[in-house]
Amino acid sequence: MTDTTQGAPHTGSAQDAGDGNAPSFWTKVTFGFGSVAFGVKDNGFSYFLLLFYGTVVGLEPGLVGLAILIALVLDAISDPLVGYWSDNFRSRWGRRHPFMYASALPVSLSFFLLWNPPDWSQGALFAYLLCLSILIRTFITFYETPSYALLPELTTSYEERTSFQIFRTFFAWVGGNSLTVLMFGVLLVPTAQYADGILNREAYATFGIVGSCLMFLSIMVSSLGTHNRIPTLRQPGPPERKTVRRVFAEIFETLRDRNFLMLFWAFVMGSMATGVAASLAFIMLSYFWEFTEFQRFLWTALVMVSAFGALLIAPRLVRRFGKRNTVVGLGVVAFSVAPMPVILRLFDLMPENGDPLLFPLVAIINTVDLAMIIALQGTMYSMIADLVESGELRTGRRSEGLYYSAVTFTRKTTVGLGAFAGGTMLSLIQFPDGAAPGTVNDDVIWWLGALYAPTLLTLWATMLFAVSRFGLDREGHQANLRALAEGKGAQG
């Protein structure tokens, strides 16, 4: 593709549905399948990294947390720069695909190395973990941000963007959770050598091999599956010499938008809530509810059911109620129900631990509720796509990469901020190290639930308030498309 103009935008959902360039179902699926790479990385960091390095490898847990936090801080700098670069990159393969193809091998290799550390000293192991944490986060940004940024150009339809995005969210959950099921159902089970399968170092090495192969496959399938869309994608305007000051000025100008800031704040709060829930998930299952190993495995596997449910309900709700109303409506229901079993237990209104009714009751509530939460997440992510045309009208530039770099970054805060909050809660209640389920003092367990539920409710409520302030609806999006088609945007 040699044309370097930005090209005329599509004029809306009607054209998307009827023209010959409308993306196929295969494009939708392959675009969505690309999120498996991020899901594998995210679940690995959320559930197993601290456990592996802190318990199996023997690195001081505080150093593990420090390495993750430092990598997270550097992400705050690298993510928008990668987004800006991909917005302005020129090649015969467009703005995005060169980044996507180039990231496949480095992402996979760095993930493999992360789970196969050498037997080094504490200081050397810390440096090893820090370097690999930075590398894999940077490489995943080089893939995830440009890949995500394809969405606004694959379709301009308000509803179809939700359909594309829910496939993306679906595969992120299914891809990441499939390896979690593999770990707890197959790799971390007790053996003759390891009475506690969690201490089996070879299991984590296998996890690294399977995960790295799945990440490579995900990136390549998604890149190749969307490659035929390159001729329909935008190219940046004529090349300009820009100073560093000009680059950062353009970044801040693009992101200084009220609707974007509301969504960004919502993503941060939602990611923190997800991080708290993920970091304490197996503490709650093992100690608060005292579920068995098999019940914890079933709990993890039921996430697949929730993801399928979200795939079905999100597009239908958006067509009927719009994106903002769908997110707020689902959130009010889901976030009211999600902490209710914990709150009821605090007041002795749930079956006792070990009661045959307890696991089915809590598992069904969680499965249905999680389906609503995943549908909510997918709808929120699709709202970012609608900001692109609004930003183009305001600045004269297409900045999909910049907008989605914010999404990439906030999703990474799940591990850093969420794990920090979860760890702080355990420290406040003086949760004992190495205690067996059923042996922890009842007061400590009560305070675990008393801090867990209100923390999530506060974060979720803040997230929904921010979303409720988002002002771009279906009619506003269509108006933006018409204005761009009429050439009314700013000249960048």
Side-chain angles (χ1 to χ4, degrees):
M1 181 174 179
T2 57
D3 180 21
T4 57
T5 63
Q6 292 210 10
H10 293 302
T11 57
S13 58
Q15 183 172 338
D16 279 344
D19 68 22
N21 279 331
S24 65
F25 180 75
W26 171 248
T27 302
K28 188 181 296 187
V29 171
T30 54
F31 171 78
F33 187 71
S35 66
V36 168
F38 191 93
V40 170
K41 171 261 163 193
D42 212 38
N43 273 40
F45 272 66
S46 296
Y47 293 115
F48 302 114
L49 193 64
L50 179 59
L51 177 65
F52 176 55
Y53 274 88
T55 303
V56 181
V57 177
L59 181 61
E60 171 62 37
L63 293 178
V64 179
L66 180 61
I68 294 172
L69 183 61
I70 292 173
L72 178 64
V73 171
L74 293 178
D75 270 340
I77 301 171
S78 65
D79 282 12
L81 292 178
V82 171
Y84 182 88
W85 188 8
S86 77
D87 284 336
N88 294 276
F89 192 76
R90 293 168 178 81
S91 81
R92 63 187 180 91
W93 284 355
R95 297 185 290 170
R96 316 297 180 186
H97 282 76
F99 291 90
M100 295 160 63
Y101 286 120
S103 67
L105 190 58
V107 164
S108 306
L109 180 61
S110 58
F111 190 81
F112 168 78
L113 293 174
L114 185 68
W115 303 100
N116 291 270
D119 294 321
W120 288 350
S121 66
Q122 289 281 301
L125 269 177
F126 170 73
Y128 182 88
L129 174 60
L130 176 61
C131 290
L132 280 173
S133 295
I134 293 171
L135 284 175
I136 193 169
R137 284 176 173 275
T138 302
F139 291 143
I140 204 72
T141 297
F142 269 83
Y143 164 69
E144 184 73 0
T145 295
S147 176
Y148 238 133
L150 290 173
L151 174 56
E153 293 184 89
L154 291 175
T155 177
T156 59
S157 167
Y158 184 83
E159 290 80 9
E160 275 293 288
R161 283 176 171 178
T162 302
S163 182
F164 266 85
Q165 179 57 61
I166 201 63
F167 270 95
R168 189 90 178 181
T169 307
F170 166 79
F171 279 112
W173 277 86
V174 169
N177 196 66
S178 63
L179 286 193
T180 305
V181 170
L182 175 69
M183 286 291 276
F184 286 110
V186 179
L187 299 179
L188 295 182
V189 298
T191 64
Q193 184 177 359
Y194 297 98
D196 188 345
I198 285 177
L199 300 178
N200 185 352
R201 183 162 180 164
E202 289 77 16
Y204 297 93
T206 303
F207 174 80
I209 293 171
V210 175
S212 61
C213 292
L214 191 54
M215 294 172 86
F216 183 83
L217 178 66
S218 165
I219 293 172
M220 292 306 298
V221 167
S222 186
S223 301
L224 291 169
T226 55
H227 191 97
N228 69 318
R229 301 295 300 177
I230 291 175
T232 71
L233 305 178
R234 301 292 190 92
Q235 286 278 18
E240 302 177 51
R241 293 180 60 88
K242 296 181 180 180
T243 64
V244 173
R245 181 177 180 180
R246 169 76 181 278
V247 168
F248 277 96
E250 288 187 359
I251 290 175
F252 285 117
E253 181 189 16
T254 298
L255 300 182
R256 193 174 58 247
D257 172 77
R258 181 180 179 277
N259 284 326
F260 168 77
L261 294 175
M262 289 297 101
L263 270 190
F264 180 80
W265 181 245
F267 282 127
V268 170
M269 294 296 104
S271 292
M272 286 184 64
T274 302
V276 170
S279 65
L280 296 178
F282 291 100
I283 295 289
M284 295 296 294
L285 295 177
S286 301
Y287 293 91
F288 191 85
W289 299 115
E290 296 181 14
F291 290 149
T292 66
E293 182 178 313
F294 181 68
Q295 287 173 330
R296 295 195 298 269
F297 167 73
L298 285 179
W299 182 281
T300 305
L302 284 171
V303 171
M304 306 292 191
V305 178
S306 300
F308 274 108
L311 188 64
L312 295 175
I313 65 175
R316 290 170 171 81
L317 291 175
V318 168
R319 281 195 295 270
R320 182 166 183 178
F321 300 109
K323 297 181 184 181
R324 181 186 60 196
N325 292 340
T326 293
V327 171
V328 174
L330 283 173
V332 169
V333 176
F335 300 146
S336 298
V337 173
M340 199 54 61
V342 174
I343 294 172
L344 292 175
R345 164 55 59 83
L346 297 178
F347 293 97
D348 296 324
L349 297 175
M350 288 288 287
E352 293 294 324
N353 288 352
D355 189 306
L357 291 175
L358 180 64
F359 178 76
L361 177 62
V362 178
I364 290 171
I365 292 173
N366 181 75
T367 301
V368 174
D369 202 68
L370 185 58
M372 291 189 284
I373 292 174
I374 296 173
L376 175 155
Q377 288 179 343
T379 305
M380 273 184 63
Y381 292 138
S382 76
M383 293 166 76
I384 284 285
D386 300 331
L387 291 173
V388 171
E389 288 83 12
S390 177
E392 186 177 4
L393 278 172
R394 184 167 49 85
T395 67
R397 295 185 299 273
R398 295 285 296 190
S399 302
E400 299 96 328
L402 262 182
Y403 286 122
Y404 278 100
S405 70
V407 177
T408 305
F409 172 71
T410 56
R411 292 171 72 193
K412 294 174 185 175
T413 64
T414 298
V415 176
L417 299 180
F420 174 77
T424 301
M425 288 165 57
L426 294 179
S427 297
L428 286 173
I429 64 175
Q430 298 182 336
F431 194 87
D433 293 330
T439 65
V440 180
N441 184 280
D442 288 343
D443 288 340
V444 173
I445 294 298
W446 191 91
W447 278 108
L448 174 62
L451 289 178
Y452 177 83
T455 298
L456 290 181
L457 279 172
T458 300
L459 292 170
W460 284 330
T462 306
M463 183 195 80
L464 291 180
F465 174 77
V467 173
S468 72
R469 311 304 295 173
F470 185 81
L472 183 58
D473 57 11
R474 181 187 286 105
E475 289 70 27
H477 173 63
Q478 293 293 339
N480 287 338
L481 291 176
R482 288 192 297 270
L484 287 173
E486 295 167 4
K488 294 180 180 179
Q491 298 300 312

